[in-house]
Amino acid sequence: MLSSSIELGGQSIPVKIIHERRSTFRAATGKEGFILRLPKRLDKKGEKSAWEWFESWAKALHRDKPDFFQRFLSKQYRDGDVIQVGNRQYTIGINLEDRGSHSAKLHPNRFIQLNLVHSVSEEERHKAAATLLSRLIGQDFLPEFSRRVLELNQLHFAKPIKDIRFKNTSSRWGSCSNTGNLNFSTRLLFAPAEVIDYVIIHELAHLVEMNHSDRFWALVERAMPNYVMQEKWLKKHGAGLGF
């Protein structure tokens, strides 16, 4: 696997290049950038042709869905920053230290101390800060969020739930396992309450129907008749949400 990057709108987006047994080019978006899949044996002319095809594909995607690319931007956090998540404000303190790994702690009055490795690049520190903030703030919201999940479950589905967790995911808003484990993206904490309820209801409905059949959508609509509006909001604004 090789690594490269592409410039789109002044933004550098990572590209993972994978050579495998295939006869055609294929490109897709991943968690941290693009994934370009190519045939195993390509000469220089073929490699050039593949990259030109990929550039054209990526530029068209950027033109048609510019908001989508916000997910690949690392937010820059500075010492003393205040961030708003839902109805809560968090103040951030940042120490750069000669240490082996990054760490963070949530103090009283919602003060978050980030201790970041000094020797890594600034981009790596920004990504580490986002991951740590997602973890700590997710833990802070989890009791309240879990109560809402249980409330909506009792109101509409009454199915057993094994566990409720937050995860720092960008590819999906939530997931439901056949054993009753519910996972939700911490990005969801930046969404309006009705949108959050929709994602919760969506995953709860999977406790009844582990698919997206007509029966599944009928369950969602019965619990939230205007769910289509919430889906449209996520498609329009979702890429800009997150740490």
Side-chain angles (χ1 to χ4, degrees):
M1 183 173 65
L2 302 175
S3 295
S4 186
S5 63
I6 184 171
E7 294 286 330
L8 294 172
Q11 178 184 351
S12 180
I13 300 174
V15 182
K16 289 183 180 179
I17 303 173
I18 301 172
H19 289 85
E20 57 189 14
R21 296 186 64 179
R22 60 184 308 111
S23 59
T24 58
F25 311 144
R26 184 184 176 190
T29 55
K31 183 177 180 180
E32 297 180 354
F34 290 118
I35 300 171
L36 176 60
R37 298 181 181 275
L38 304 176
K40 265 189 174 182
R41 291 187 176 86
L42 274 183
D43 56 21
K44 287 187 177 180
K45 184 177 180 181
E47 295 264 353
K48 182 181 178 182
S49 176
W51 188 259
E52 288 175 349
W53 169 85
F54 168 70
E55 281 187 323
S56 177
W57 176 88
K59 288 175 181 177
L61 184 64
H62 187 267
R63 182 184 64 246
D64 297 338
K65 298 182 178 181
D67 292 344
F68 173 84
F69 291 84
Q70 293 183 42
R71 71 177 61 191
F72 302 122
L73 290 173
S74 295
K75 293 186 179 179
Q76 300 186 6
Y77 297 100
R78 307 296 179 191
D79 187 53
D81 279 355
V82 176
I83 61 173
Q84 185 80 34
V85 185
N87 58 358
R88 303 179 186 181
Q89 283 190 337
Y90 297 86
T91 303
I92 301 171
I94 298 178
N95 284 333
L96 300 183
E97 302 177 350
D98 292 323
R99 49 172 34 241
S101 60
H102 309 289
S103 69
K105 184 176 181 180
L106 176 60
H107 293 275
N109 301 319
R110 298 201 171 98
F111 175 76
I112 297 177
Q113 181 66 56
L114 299 176
N115 302 308
L116 305 178
V117 178
H118 183 269
S119 59
V120 302
S121 69
E122 188 174 15
E123 178 68 15
E124 287 179 275
R125 286 198 296 271
H126 291 319
K127 288 183 178 179
T131 298
L132 292 168
L133 289 170
S134 170
R135 184 182 305 156
L136 286 178
I137 294 174
Q139 290 172 353
D140 193 41
F141 269 92
L142 188 57
E144 176 186 320
F145 187 89
S146 296
R147 285 193 292 272
R148 184 57 176 162
V149 173
L150 296 174
E151 180 182 350
L152 289 171
N153 181 48
Q154 184 177 5
L155 190 61
H156 300 292
F157 303 98
K159 290 294 180 180
I161 294 174
K162 185 177 179 181
D163 197 14
I164 302 167
R165 293 183 184 180
F166 273 125
K167 291 192 174 184
N168 183 26
T169 59
S170 60
S171 58
R172 58 174 63 185
W173 296 106
S175 64
C176 172
S177 74
N178 55 16
T179 57
N181 291 314
L182 299 175
N183 295 310
F184 296 92
S185 172
T186 51
R187 297 170 57 226
L188 196 59
L189 295 173
F190 293 90
E194 264 211 323
V195 174
I196 294 173
D197 279 355
Y198 160 65
V199 175
I200 292 173
I201 286 169
H202 184 113
E203 299 310 326
L204 288 172
H206 280 310
L207 294 173
V208 183
E209 292 287 340
M210 289 294 292
N211 51 52
H212 288 105
S213 63
D214 290 344
R215 291 191 302 273
F216 168 83
W217 290 112
L219 289 169
V220 173
E221 186 173 20
R222 187 176 66 188
M224 178 176 273
N226 69 340
Y227 80 90
V228 174
M229 290 177 58
Q230 317 314 325
E231 274 203 327
K232 287 181 178 178
W233 191 96
L234 276 176
K235 287 178 180 178
K236 183 177 181 180
H237 304 286
L241 304 184
F243 291 93

